[in-house]
């Protein structure tokens, strides 16, 4: 079976570039024809550009610190209430539709189990950082106005990335259990 090509990275980079170009074009047009809808559209495109660029940067920077991430650290341990939450959210059936930036990082046929578990810790932190930075654009509502545009895009972005955090926290304990069993049985 031929593996499917992953277009997700190209879509992310293209969206960042196109939204940057749209922001510049709309901002220029707004200087010629100052209209509220043009400003709102420029702000929306700028916010989209920020969110996609910030995701790409977080995905590039956080892995530089991945050596310090370990599934036994308190931060990565699942809380007693989490399994009930994941069952209520029906994460087991939803997780198949979640896109992955680099599927090889989580593919046990390509990547060794200990590395997959570390990659899951890293991916969780990447998305947690993104959630925090999703609210930074709210500061731009002060000079530009259009607070609802900033709030809606920030909430949608944070909500979207919380799905990835939940998926990592749902999947990792099972793999950690398998890893510990393998380590215990190793000669």
């Amino acid at each position: 079976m031929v593996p499917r090509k992953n277009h997700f990275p190209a879509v992310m980079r293209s969206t960042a570039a196109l939204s940057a170009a749209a922001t510049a074009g709309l901002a220029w047009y707004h200087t010629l024809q100052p209209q509220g809808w043009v400003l709102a559209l420029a702000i929306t495109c700028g916010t989209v550009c920020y969110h996609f660029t910030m995701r790409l940067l977080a995905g590039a920077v956080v892995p530089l610190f991945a050596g310090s991430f370990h599934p036994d650290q308190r931060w990565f341990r699942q809380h007693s209430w989490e399994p009930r939450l994941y069952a209520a959210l029906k994460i087991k059936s939803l997780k198949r539709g979640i896109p992955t930036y680099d599927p090889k990082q989580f593919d046990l046929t390509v990547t060794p189990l200990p590395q997959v578990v570390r990659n899951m810790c890293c991916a969780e932190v990447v998305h947690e950082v993104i959630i925090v930075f999703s609210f930074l654009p709210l500061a731009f509502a002060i000079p530009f106005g259009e607070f609802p545009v900033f709030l809606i895009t920030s909430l949608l972005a944070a909500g979207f990335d919380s799905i990835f955090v939940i998926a990592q926290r749902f999947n990792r304990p099972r793999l950690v259990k398998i890893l510990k069993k393998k380590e215990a049985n190793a000669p």
Side-chain angles (χ1 to χ4, degrees):
M1 181 152 110
V2 177
R4 289 182 355 173
K5 179 137 173 71
N6 181 19
H7 298 286
F8 198 53
V11 169
M12 297 250 326
R13 290 189 301 271
S14 297
T15 303
L18 290 172
S19 59
T23 302
L26 287 163
W28 173 77
Y29 183 72
H30 182 69
T31 62
L32 301 175
Q33 296 288 325
Q35 298 175 23
W37 69 270
V38 176
L39 178 62
L41 199 52
I43 289 170
T44 301
C45 289
T47 305
V48 168
C49 177
Y50 166 78
H51 284 288
F52 277 85
T53 303
M54 177 262 298
R55 277 171 177 68
L56 291 167
L57 288 172
V61 172
V62 171
L64 299 175
F65 303 96
S68 62
F69 302 150
H70 192 276
D72 288 335
Q73 290 173 322
R74 188 170 180 231
W75 186 264
F76 297 113
R77 282 188 240 138
Q78 198 175 62
H79 301 285
S80 60
W81 52 266
E82 286 182 79
R84 289 187 303 277
L85 172 66
Y86 303 150
L89 293 174
K90 299 185 186 332
I91 293 300
K92 192 170 189 173
S93 63
L94 295 176
K95 69 179 185 165
R96 287 173 185 45
I98 297 174
T100 303
Y101 190 84
D102 186 0
K104 290 182 297 214
Q105 289 186 342
F106 307 101
D107 184 347
L108 290 169
T109 63
V110 177
T111 308
L113 179 59
Q115 185 60 46
V116 169
V117 170
R118 280 192 298 278
N119 291 346
M120 293 174 92
C121 292
C122 184
E124 178 184 333
V125 173
V126 166
H127 290 287
E128 289 165 343
V129 166
I130 290 170
I131 289 169
V132 171
F133 280 103
S134 290
F135 292 97
L136 189 62
L138 291 174
F140 290 98
I142 296 166
F144 289 108
E146 304 298 332
F147 182 77
V149 173
F150 288 106
L151 181 62
I152 290 168
T153 55
S154 292
L155 288 172
L156 288 173
F160 180 72
D161 277 281
S162 67
I163 294 167
F164 294 97
V165 171
I166 289 169
Q168 297 303 328
R169 294 189 65 81
F170 172 80
N171 288 324
R172 191 175 47 248
R174 183 174 39 91
L175 292 180
V176 167
K177 187 186 259 185
I178 293 168
L179 179 62
K180 288 185 188 265
K181 190 180 271 187
K182 278 186 169 188
E183 289 172 346
N185 292 336

